[in-house]
Amino acid sequence: MTGARIIGMRLAALVLALAPVAAAGPGGAQEAAAEWYEAPAEIVSAPQNATDIQRRTPRESVRNFIEVSDAGRHDAAAYFLNLSDLPQDERAAAGADLARQLAIVIDRQLWIDWASLSARPDAMQEHGGANSALAGKARRDLGLKLAQVDGQAYEIRLGRYKAEGADPVWLFTPQTVDNIPVLYRAFGPAWFERHIPDQLTQRVAGLRLWEWILLPLMLGALFGLGWAAQRLVGFVGARLPKSYLRQAMERSRVPMGLVVVAIAAQFMLELGVSFSGPATTILRPFLLIVMVSGIGLTALRVVDAILDRITLRVIGDIDDTRSLDERELYTSIYAVRRIIVLLMVGIAIIVVLSRLNLFDTLGMSLLASAGLLTVLLGIAGQAVLGNIMASLQIALAKPIRIGDSILFEDDWAYVESIFYTFLRLRTWDERRIIVPVKYFVSQPFENWSVTDARILKTITLFLDHKADIDTLREVFFDLAKQDEGVIEPEEHLFAAVTDHTAHGQEMSFYAMSPDPSTGWSTAMRLREKLLAHIRENHPDWWPQERFLSGAGEGSRKAAAAAD
């Protein structure tokens, strides 16, 4: 019985030892199958001794496909296509023609970034942060190009396929093969290319010789068209009946010229001027950005002209003599302009990214690099972003308004303009002070127009001890009541001795004015009249220095006694 028990224990141990292996078998096979797609042997097979048909990695497949296509061996290039969706008896003939067409489409539409094209058989992304969804994972398919044709998306894509008993290979997917005829009709050779001599089709620095000739001619024609367009806009604008329309057209000449140039260039490309991949990759996004920017700038110039018209009609010249509502309206107009600009910039960015199909490719990258972008923006863009946010804060909270009279760092000035990154202040003597918005809001300042424009002006005189404040008070009251720059004399008109020293007394006179600019000129007039009254009637009230007789002799006697 003891022997039987020992045998039973050994069998149990053996079962436990084999259990993990048995459990791992299906899982391991399933995990390996997730790294490729199953395919029939005739799809992934290649002629024996064909050294140039190497398809072990994505980079190797694309490079060899382009090489054999450039050599004119389209029958060999067909081995890089997954032709499983074609009838078996048509694969040989149709495969070579489809390979030829795909090679032309890739040449015209794809600027291959060889460094980013994986050289690993499993296409694993080796580099990437912890937040990257694909880092450290094997891939069995990857996209090379997403093209738009008649509003539909067509993709050129590679997949990893394996037949039983064979090594996995990278081929262009069946979906890509189905898309080849559509892509070739859209991006294939133009009609005029059939008449181009073979000598001009040779490549130099990535482009054909005829492209190097046509590109400068095309750019020159577009430049002339843009010049003519902006001249035509100016000619039409000068003959419009409304002044604000003439102003809007004059401001829009250059951006509208850019729009015409971009539309004409897009029309040329759609008409049949088909360049190679490097030129197309740069030219199409550039034209799209120019078009969106031109339309946005045109709209912004028109909005500016309308806002200026509203400002001149409703408000007129801006200073502190205007009412609080008018100054708030002008500031709100500036805020509306900022919001319009931000919306237009945001819409333009969204349009460009969506048209260039960058959301799919940039989405994960932006999410993965959010922390890095935050650091970069915080360091490089701190000043600009801080000023923009401070500008929006001023426009919305309105601690100052356009036309407010303020005292900033001992300068009396009007707030003339509030821009994104700076303020422009106009001093009383017509100087302009440019202050960064962020610096302005971080410094204390006096806003003399925060509730209304009224200001209590102070006139200070320094006179001798003999000057009589009661007499001067009566004179000041009479002068102030007769001055047109003084308001509310019954409530805000008074005078007092505000300081006293051994040399004399300081007398201050107070009067209310409707606004700082009026108050300044009123204070000057009243000061001159008070001084004239003292000069004519009480000249002995001017500050005087007094010397006591005998003071010198007393000092000498005191010094002699000390000796």
Side-chain angles (χ1 to χ4, degrees), residues 25-329:
Q30 195 172 27
E31 182 179 354
E35 297 182 3
W36 56 70
Y37 298 100
E38 298 291 341
E42 63 270 14
I43 295 299
V44 301
S45 62
Q48 294 184 354
N49 302 323
T51 57
D52 52 355
I53 304 179
Q54 301 296 327
R55 305 166 296 176
R56 293 167 297 185
T57 69
R59 185 185 299 175
E60 187 177 61
S61 290
V62 175
R63 182 178 64 244
N64 289 327
F65 173 76
I66 293 176
E67 288 178 354
V68 296
S69 297
D70 289 343
R73 299 176 55 218
H74 303 301
D75 53 343
Y79 287 102
F80 294 87
L81 308 183
N82 187 332
L83 303 174
S84 57
D85 287 352
L86 295 180
Q88 190 167 3
D89 57 345
E90 298 180 7
R91 291 174 184 172
D97 190 51
L98 289 173
R100 178 186 64 82
Q101 294 181 10
L102 179 60
I104 294 175
V105 171
I106 290 177
D107 179 62
R108 302 300 175 93
Q109 288 296 306
L110 188 58
W111 191 359
I112 300 174
D113 183 6
W114 295 104
S116 64
L117 196 58
S118 177
R120 292 177 56 108
D122 57 3
M124 180 183 295
Q125 182 175 327
E126 298 174 326
H127 305 288
N131 296 327
S132 177
L134 300 177
K137 293 184 179 180
R139 292 178 289 176
R140 58 178 180 175
D141 57 73
L142 52 90
L144 299 180
K145 175 71 176 182
L146 183 65
Q148 295 280 346
V149 179
D150 297 330
Q152 299 294 324
Y154 297 89
E155 189 172 18
I156 300 175
R157 197 168 188 86
L158 285 174
R160 194 182 188 203
Y161 299 93
K162 182 180 184 306
E164 186 175 356
D167 294 330
V169 295
W170 285 89
L171 307 174
F172 288 98
T173 64
Q175 294 82 6
T176 300
V177 175
D178 292 340
N179 296 338
I180 289 175
V182 178
L183 295 173
Y184 183 76
R185 285 194 298 270
F187 306 114
W191 59 268
F192 70 89
E193 292 187 53
R194 294 192 294 269
H195 307 286
I196 296 178
D198 293 338
Q199 294 83 355
L200 296 180
T201 60
Q202 310 255 340
R203 289 188 176 274
V204 176
L207 299 179
R208 302 179 187 90
L209 283 175
W210 70 263
E211 292 175 328
W212 285 112
I213 298 173
L214 185 59
L215 271 175
L217 294 177
M218 179 178 171
L219 292 176
L222 291 174
F223 179 81
L225 180 62
W227 178 85
Q230 64 96 13
R231 296 280 295 184
L232 179 61
V233 171
F235 177 79
V236 174
R239 283 154 180 78
L240 292 175
K242 301 293 185 180
S243 60
Y244 69 94
L245 291 178
R246 292 196 297 271
Q247 183 182 10
M249 293 294 285
E250 179 63 27
R251 292 180 177 183
S252 304
R253 289 173 57 182
V254 174
M256 289 185 72
L258 292 176
V259 172
V260 171
V261 167
I263 293 176
Q266 291 279 12
F267 180 74
M268 288 181 181
L269 294 177
E270 296 294 335
L271 189 62
V273 182
S274 181
F275 293 103
S276 299
T280 303
T281 303
I282 296 174
L283 196 57
R284 288 185 180 275
F286 175 75
L287 293 176
L288 178 62
I289 293 172
V290 169
M291 184 184 300
V292 173
S293 302
I295 294 174
L297 286 174
T298 301
L300 181 60
R301 299 291 170 81
V302 173
V303 169
D304 278 346
I306 295 174
L307 293 181
D308 288 345
R309 179 67 175 177
I310 294 174
T311 300
L312 292 175
R313 172 173 290 185
V314 178
I315 302 174
D317 295 332
I318 286 297
D319 55 30
D320 57 2
T321 61
R322 295 292 171 178
S323 67
L324 176 63
D325 292 338
E326 290 176 333
R327 286 182 278 117
E328 284 195 347
L329 174 60

Side-chain angles (χ1 to χ4, degrees), residues 465-486:
H465 301 89
K466 293 186 295 183
D468 183 15
I469 185 60
D470 292 329
T471 301
L472 287 179
R473 182 182 291 116
E474 293 178 3
V475 173
F476 174 69
F477 285 0
D478 292 339
L479 294 173
K481 291 177 181 179
Q482 298 174 11
D483 196 292
E484 60 183 6
V486 176

